[in-house]
Amino acid sequence: MSQVRVLGELAVLDDVGPARRGRAYPAAGATSALLLPAAVLLGGRVLWPVLRTMHASVTTDGRWVGAAHFRAALATPGTGAVVGRTVLWALLVPAVVTALGYLLAAASRRSQEGGLVRLILLVPVALPLVVTGVTFRLMYDPDPSRGLATLVATRLTGRSVDDAPQLLGPGLVTVALMSAFVWAWVGLAVLVFRSALDAVPPSLADAVRAYGGGRRHVLWDAQWRPLLLRTTAVVFALVAVGTSRTFDLILVMTPGSVRDEASVLALRIWQTSGGTTTGDGAALGVVWLVAVIGGIIVAALFVRQAWPPPRVEAAPEPAPAAPPRRVFRLLAAGAAIAWLVPLAVLVATSAHGRVDAAARGWWSTTPTVESYRDVVTGTELWRTLSFTLLLATAVTATVLVVALLAAYPLAWLTGPAAQATGLLLLAASVVPIQVIAGPVNEVLGLVLSSGTAQGLALVHIALGVPFAVLVLRNAFADLPVEQVRDARLGGRRWWHTLRRLARHNLSAVVAVGVLEFVQVWNDLVVGRLFGGPGASPLGPFLAEQTRGFVSNSGALAASSVLASVLPVVLVVLSRRHLVAGLVSGGVR
């Protein structure tokens, strides 16, 4: 955009041009300044720690040892079972979540109760995994007089109370953990599939039927091939990455006596090296890192498309389609009821005092507010909530600023440069923090110190920036050229243009902000690895209360309910922005 004098008057020449997005690219000097904060964070908190971990996996005190650490780590008793269990998590759980997500999304469409069903399924998405672990540990309590699921299993199997099935025992603990994870993640899959199904033009199905196609042909030719295949790959990849973060569930939900039988690489690396850099721990971390990044890159290449994505003309309003069949509506209603049961167990347990909650089931005593009174009148929970609120707010604001600055110049790249940038951001987004905990602590020792609020915030910011940049970059590149032109004409400086572009991408900005806030609020592993006496957020605080689980179950349930209110309200109120922002900018 340039300004010239025409007949003595100032005229503005629009040189943004038609589809050539490079015309909206900021100047070279501004580009370097915009990318610098993100580059420093990613280099110091992600790239260097990854390289340091890789170096530690093949050296000892600076001396090359090759594959010795890998052989030692893999030869440790139980490691083979841990790796196998991790692979099982990465394949089976995403498959179950993806299948249930599609079925429930299809079953809850175009029906009066569909919105309520999706709302119920969405609530567990916002809960901290620590709270999910507490909830299902209450349900799977080995004593049938306290555990609802154990009581039901005992009645169904016809066993005596003394011979009740041990749902958290060595043989079933992994299945119990997986059920909790599926409960927590299906709602996200339902939202993504619902958005994909709504984007499929009904005319495709009509065309297939006109040529004599049946239900199978409509599913394959009118839904699966045009859009659902890609959506399925995206959902599967997202859930597979999520399963690498089962640390919270395993630590909270499993009794100490069976933790080894439930262990996966997320827990084994923490047990091996904690927040330090060791050879064996680094070797296991490299194995895990290669598997996670390799899998997500394969999924990204599988769903790749032209960049920037082609503009799609607005389609006319489709004719209303018929609601799903009665059997599918019953399936959706049954799923909603099943998803409400764990929430009811948590709330009901919180409405009992310490003695009643420890001695008998919530269904056999009168509710009271004793546990809430004990929690609310204490100062420890409120101090932890206040610290977590300040931490999450500061981290979210910083991540948004850094990501907006970096996304603005990156959005206008095209061709291989854009694809390579997307893959790098995606890889940086899925690096497990346990893998790089030791090197990150070394960096914090040079910059600040580990165990401080500032260090904890820096780690969260560095971990949140890659995904935020990826979503906002994609959302900016999705903007119509007309909006880019208007932003360039209305902004006298690059920051004016950026502000206008951000306003056009409000859904993506809200989605990034809400997801980052909820991620920090719900975190356990980062707080556990990098927190300290003066920097103890909510996740580690709740996890610490599970040490005396039975005797403390009433107060723990009450604390979990109070800790879940804010993230649930944020996710429920912003759910439309979350779906729109992630679909426009997060699955490309």
Side-chain angles (χ1 to χ4, degrees):
M1 185 172 61
S2 56
Q3 298 177 345
V4 296
R5 291 277 178 179
V6 179
L7 300 178
E9 297 293 333
L10 187 64
V12 177
L13 301 182
D14 174 17
D15 60 355
V16 172
R20 184 182 171 194
R21 291 183 175 273
R23 299 282 186 92
Y25 199 86
T31 297
S32 301
L34 293 175
L35 292 175
L36 183 61
V40 170
L41 284 169
L42 294 181
R45 295 291 188 277
V46 179
L47 179 59
W48 186 88
V50 167
L51 295 176
R52 174 74 177 90
T53 299
M54 296 175 68
H55 178 264
S57 69
V58 293
T59 60
T60 298
D61 297 329
R63 178 174 52 85
W64 175 267
V65 297
H69 291 311
F70 290 89
R71 287 193 296 266
L74 295 175
T76 303
T79 301
V82 168
V83 174
R85 207 174 290 118
T86 305
V87 173
L88 182 65
W89 269 91
L91 296 178
L92 179 60
V93 173
V96 173
V97 171
T98 303
L100 277 177
Y102 171 74
L103 289 175
L104 294 176
S108 61
R109 292 178 72 208
R110 301 185 301 271
S111 61
Q112 294 180 348
E113 70 278 5
L116 179 60
V117 170
R118 290 189 297 274
L119 183 62
I120 293 172
L121 296 176
L122 179 64
V123 171
V125 175
L127 294 180
L129 272 181
V130 175
V131 173
T132 301
V134 170
T135 302
F136 276 79
R137 188 165 175 181
L138 290 170
M139 285 186 58
Y140 295 152
D141 191 293
D143 188 346
S145 65
R146 293 193 303 266
L148 178 62
T150 306
L151 175 64
V152 172
T154 302
R155 298 280 177 83
L156 291 177
T157 57
R159 298 187 182 184
S160 64
V161 173
D162 296 332
D163 190 31
Q166 297 300 297
L167 302 178
L168 292 179
L172 295 175
V173 63
T174 297
V175 177
L177 288 166
M178 288 181 174
S179 67
F181 190 91
V182 169
W183 180 79
W185 276 73
V186 160
L188 180 62
V190 169
L191 290 182
V192 175
F193 274 115
R194 167 66 194 278
S195 178
L197 288 169
D198 289 346
V200 176
S203 56
L204 288 178
D206 295 338
V208 173
R209 294 191 188 98
Y211 281 92
R215 288 183 179 273
R216 179 173 59 86
H217 300 95
V218 169
L219 173 64
W220 177 252
D221 293 318
Q223 293 183 353
W224 186 262
R225 289 175 62 186
L227 192 59
L228 289 184
L229 180 62
R230 177 173 301 181
T231 304
T232 298
V234 170
V235 172
F236 190 97
L238 286 174
V239 180
V241 171
T243 60
S244 67
R245 301 175 181 177
T246 52
F247 176 89
D248 305 31
L249 269 183
I250 296 174
L251 198 64
V252 172
M253 192 172 156
T254 58
S257 58
V258 299
R259 193 160 292 163
D260 288 342
E261 284 74 12
S263 181
V264 294
L265 281 174
L267 186 66
R268 176 58 66 92
I269 293 174
W270 174 71
Q271 292 172 330
T272 302
S273 57
T276 62
T277 305
T278 63
D280 290 1
L284 284 177
V286 170
V287 171
W288 189 20
L289 186 64
V290 169
V292 170
I293 293 181
I296 200 67
I297 288 179
V298 169
L301 292 175
F302 180 73
V303 299
R304 69 187 184 277
Q305 63 182 46
W307 186 265
R311 307 266 24 117
V312 179
E313 297 296 331
E317 283 293 325
R325 290 185 298 175
R326 182 178 180 83
V327 63
F328 290 108
R329 297 177 66 178
L330 291 175
L331 171 66
I337 294 173
W339 255 248
L340 278 174
V341 170
L343 296 175
V345 169
L346 178 67
V347 174
T349 304
S350 70
H352 290 80
R354 181 184 298 271
V355 175
D356 287 342
R360 57 188 69 88
W362 50 267
W363 58 87
S364 58
T365 57
T366 304
T368 66
V369 295
E370 179 184 336
S371 292
Y372 283 102
R373 184 172 58 246
D374 293 342
V375 170
V376 169
T377 55
T379 60
E380 194 171 2
L381 176 63
W382 295 116
R383 184 167 55 248
T384 303
L385 288 174
S386 300
F387 173 78
T388 307
L389 178 62
L390 291 175
L391 176 69
T393 303
V395 169
T396 301
T398 307
V399 167
L400 276 175
V401 171
V402 173
L404 283 169
L405 294 178
Y408 175 50
L410 293 178
W412 320 125
L413 293 178
T414 58
Q419 300 289 355
T421 301
L423 288 177
L424 287 175
L425 289 171
L426 191 59
S429 301
V430 300
V431 172
I433 185 59
Q434 293 96 321
V435 174
I436 58 175
V440 168
N441 269 322
E442 294 174 7
V443 174
L444 289 177
L446 296 175
V447 180
L448 294 166
S449 62
S450 185
T452 64
Q454 296 87 344
L456 189 61
L458 273 177
V459 175
H460 275 299
I461 291 168
L463 294 176
V465 161
F467 180 75
V469 173
L470 182 66
V471 173
L472 293 175
R473 180 204 75 145
N474 295 349
F476 280 166
D478 269 352
L479 284 176
V481 177
E482 294 75 16
Q483 291 185 352
V484 177
R485 181 184 292 112
D486 292 343
R488 289 283 286 166
L489 289 174
R492 290 173 292 180
R493 297 289 188 273
W494 64 262
W495 52 86
H496 298 135
T497 304
L498 174 58
R499 185 176 60 192
R500 288 171 176 267
L501 293 175
R503 193 179 305 148
H504 290 312
N505 270 310
L506 181 61
S507 288
V509 174
V510 171
V512 168
V514 170
L515 288 175
E516 183 60 33
F517 185 95
V518 171
Q519 170 66 26
V520 177
W521 182 274
N522 293 349
D523 169 72
L524 168 63
V525 62
V526 175
R528 187 115 185 181
L529 289 171
F530 304 101
S536 180
L538 186 60
F541 170 79
L542 291 177
E544 193 67 24
Q545 307 307 307
T546 63
R547 290 183 179 274
F549 192 89
V550 174
S551 61
N552 197 35
S553 56
L556 179 59
S559 299
S560 298
V561 171
L562 294 175
S564 303
V565 171
L566 182 57
V568 169
V569 169
L570 282 177
V571 169
V572 169
L573 292 181
S574 63
R575 62 188 183 280
R576 298 186 186 278
H577 288 294
L578 286 177
V579 175
L582 290 178
V583 170
S584 67
V587 297
R588 221 175 283 351

